Amino acid sequence: MKQTRSLEERMADQAAELKERAHQLPAGAEREALLKRARIAETGSHLSAWVRSPGLQRPN
């Protein structure tokens, strides 16, 4: 299966969807779990973009 969108885009969209679902719920464990998953997806998106950036240098 060939992806038409980048991993970063898919993860950012997933984060936005999770946040939207979370904000429709009352405060509680389920809402917090969705917000946590959204933060993880956002972090993954940012890390993937950083790893793929041309300016990334190998640590010394």
Side-chain angles (χ1 to χ4, degrees):
M1 179 173 173
K2 176 131 173 114
Q3 296 293 334
T4 58
R5 297 178 333 155
S6 72
L7 176 62
E8 294 86 6
E9 290 173 324
R10 293 189 315 257
M11 291 180 86
D13 287 348
Q14 181 185 25
E17 180 184 326
L18 289 167
K19 282 182 181 181
E20 184 177 322
R21 286 176 41 201
H23 291 300
Q24 294 173 357
L25 296 173
E30 186 178 0
R31 180 179 179 159
E32 291 305 314
L34 287 175
L35 290 172
K36 181 178 180 180
R37 287 178 52 201
R39 285 191 301 273
I40 291 169
E42 285 178 334
T43 300
S45 176
H46 293 298
L47 285 174
S48 180
W50 176 72
V51 167
R52 293 162 46 111
S53 71
L56 182 63
Q57 298 294 316
R58 189 171 68 169
N60 292 330

